[in-house]
Amino acid sequence: MPATRKIFREFIARKGLKSTQQREIILDEFLRSGSHLSTEELYLRIRAKHPHIGYATVYRTLKLFAECGIAEPRHFGDGQTRYESTHAQEHHDHLICTGCGAILEFEDPGIEQLQEQVAAQHGFHIERHRLEIYGLCNKCLPSRTEAAQ
Amino acid sequence: MPATRKIFREFIARKGLKSTQQREIILDEFLRSGSHLSTEELYLRIRAKHPHIGYATVYRTLKLFAECGIAEPRHFGDGQTRYESTHAQEHHDHLICTGCGAILEFEDPGIEQLQEQVAAQHGFHIERHRLEIYGLCNKCLPSRTEAAQ
DNA sequence: CTTAAGATTGACAATCATTTTCAACCCAGG
DNA sequence: CCTGGGTTGAAAATGATTGTCAATCTTAAG
């Protein structure tokens, strides 16, 4: 995704910040890795190749990514912040199991289209959205049949 | 909300837990207070009338509320968990303007229905969901026509 | 190329929300 | 009442995230 790198570079320049090796490395690994990576998971992957990069730097850099819009922070309820690339792949939404914590991705053009309609009714121009559905997956459903309600 | 109290009492009974003064007091204050209260804010309100109730008890009790479905935890990015009463008002989703910060509420039965379809395809049982659409409202749209990309 | 100013880094300490620990205590049933 | 086991409050522990600070790297100027 060349656009993502460009956005970040321009952001760095505009803010009077500096382009460093660490930031490039972290951006590389962030874009290469799949979504839903927690900061710790990303840090561990980076450290595998670049043991000199510190935990705090990963945190700081991810906040920069979020600030310039190339990453989006998410909270799935496990106490950790996860960042997702906004340009790397097709948009998708999430089914999150409150039983086992499993995260399923899905995309539904119908839902997207209805969102556009709703936005249009309000004179609203959509930049992005977030849809998270919480519930029980088919593995956890049986074990909660009596406790659920 | 008499139903809410009943749900909680039944949950307590079903789980073999006990009905205590503290739990009643916390439920009272939780229902009396508006939504989006952080745990700390709720604790402070409770402590004003009942100085003997501890912080940990409020945390523990709110988790019980969430577990039995009468409260819903939310994360707004400030690092604190907020609980919202699920019976206080109708469900709604949000359009959030990234220009001026305005928040519009909406509800769309069509979107809800498609969500049910998606969940069914994945063998998923929905407990709750959250849909947030970010973009520009009709007031902010004109001023960003060139700066957007 | 050299240099100086200032941003950045990494190791570690500090912070903040939340959870756990544990002895004292309360609730339900016998 | 009594007893077993869930509950509580205070404090310590935990875990994620952020701040500190001296050493280091970037960048633009000289």
Side-chain angles (χ1 to χ4, degrees):
Chain A
M1 289 294 128
T4 302
R5 275 178 219 286
K6 192 182 172 196
I7 291 171
F8 184 59
R9 294 230 182 80
E10 289 176 358
F11 171 78
I12 289 288
R14 188 183 341 123
K15 285 273 194 173
L17 305 178
K18 290 176 178 175
S19 172
T20 68
Q21 256 194 321
Q22 286 90 334
R23 285 174 178 164
E24 291 296 323
I25 290 169
I26 294 169
L27 180 54
D28 273 355
E29 192 58 43
F30 174 68
L31 292 178
R32 187 186 345 275
S33 297
S35 49
H36 307 155
L37 240 55
S38 69
T39 307
E40 181 178 18
E41 290 162 343
L42 185 62
Y43 166 67
L44 290 175
R45 289 199 185 193
I46 289 169
R47 199 179 58 175
K49 290 186 177 180
H50 306 273
H52 57 94
I53 291 187
Y55 214 146
T57 302
V58 177
Y59 268 96
R60 289 186 282 232
T61 305
L62 283 172
K63 292 193 87 168
L64 288 179
F65 293 171
E67 202 180 333
C68 73
I70 67 177
E72 198 178 321
R74 296 177 173 276
H75 302 268
F76 288 145
D78 62 349
Q80 281 187 276
T81 301
R82 290 155 193 278
Y83 287 87
E84 191 162 338
S85 168
T86 53
H87 294 271
Q89 69 277 312
E90 284 301 308
H91 171 78
H92 58 259
D93 292 305
H94 299 105
L95 288 161
I96 300 151
C97 180
T98 58
C100 63
I103 298 174
L104 305 176
E105 297 178 355
F106 72 90
E107 44 189 308
D108 187 300
I111 291 178
E112 314 267 321
Q113 193 183 335
L114 286 178
Q115 287 181 22
E116 287 292 348
Q117 284 182 21
V118 168
Q121 285 166 20
H122 292 265
F124 203 89
H125 171 71
I126 295 180
E127 290 173 344
R128 65 181 195 277
H129 72 264
R130 167 185 355 195
L131 171 57
E132 290 160 11
I133 300 177
Y134 294 85
L136 291 172
C137 72
N138 49 17
K139 288 176 190 162
C140 296
L141 201 48
S143 59
R144 296 264 189 122
T145 36
E146 32 42 89
Q149 180 56 291
Chain B
M1 291 292 132
T4 303
R5 272 178 220 289
K6 190 180 173 197
I7 291 171
F8 185 58
R9 293 230 182 83
E10 288 177 359
F11 171 78
I12 288 289
R14 187 183 342 122
K15 285 275 193 172
L17 306 179
K18 289 179 178 173
S19 171
T20 67
Q21 255 195 322
Q22 286 90 334
R23 284 173 180 166
E24 290 297 323
I25 290 169
I26 293 169
L27 180 53
D28 274 354
E29 192 59 42
F30 174 69
L31 292 178
R32 188 187 343 275
S33 299
S35 51
H36 304 157
L37 236 56
S38 70
T39 306
E40 182 179 17
E41 290 161 343
L42 185 63
Y43 166 67
L44 290 175
R45 289 198 185 195
I46 290 168
R47 199 179 59 175
K49 289 186 179 182
H50 306 274
H52 57 95
I53 291 187
Y55 215 145
T57 301
V58 177
Y59 268 97
R60 288 186 281 233
T61 305
L62 283 172
K63 292 193 89 169
L64 288 180
F65 292 171
E67 203 180 331
C68 73
I70 66 176
E72 195 179 322
R74 313 198 80 152
H75 302 268
F76 288 143
D78 63 349
Q80 280 187 278
T81 302
R82 289 154 194 279
Y83 288 87
E84 191 165 343
S85 170
T86 53
H87 293 272
Q89 70 276 313
E90 285 298 308
H91 171 77
H92 58 257
D93 292 307
H94 298 106
L95 287 161
I96 299 155
C97 179
T98 58
C100 63
I103 297 177
L104 304 175
E105 296 179 354
F106 72 91
E107 44 189 308
D108 188 301
I111 292 178
E112 315 267 321
Q113 192 183 335
L114 287 177
Q115 288 181 21
E116 287 293 348
Q117 285 183 21
V118 168
Q121 285 167 20
H122 292 265
F124 203 89
H125 170 70
I126 294 181
E127 290 172 343
R128 65 182 195 275
H129 73 265
R130 165 182 9 190
L131 171 57
E132 290 160 10
I133 300 178
Y134 296 85
L136 292 172
C137 70
N138 49 16
K139 289 176 190 163
C140 296
L141 200 48
S143 59
R144 295 266 187 120
T145 37
E146 26 49 87
Q149 182 60 290

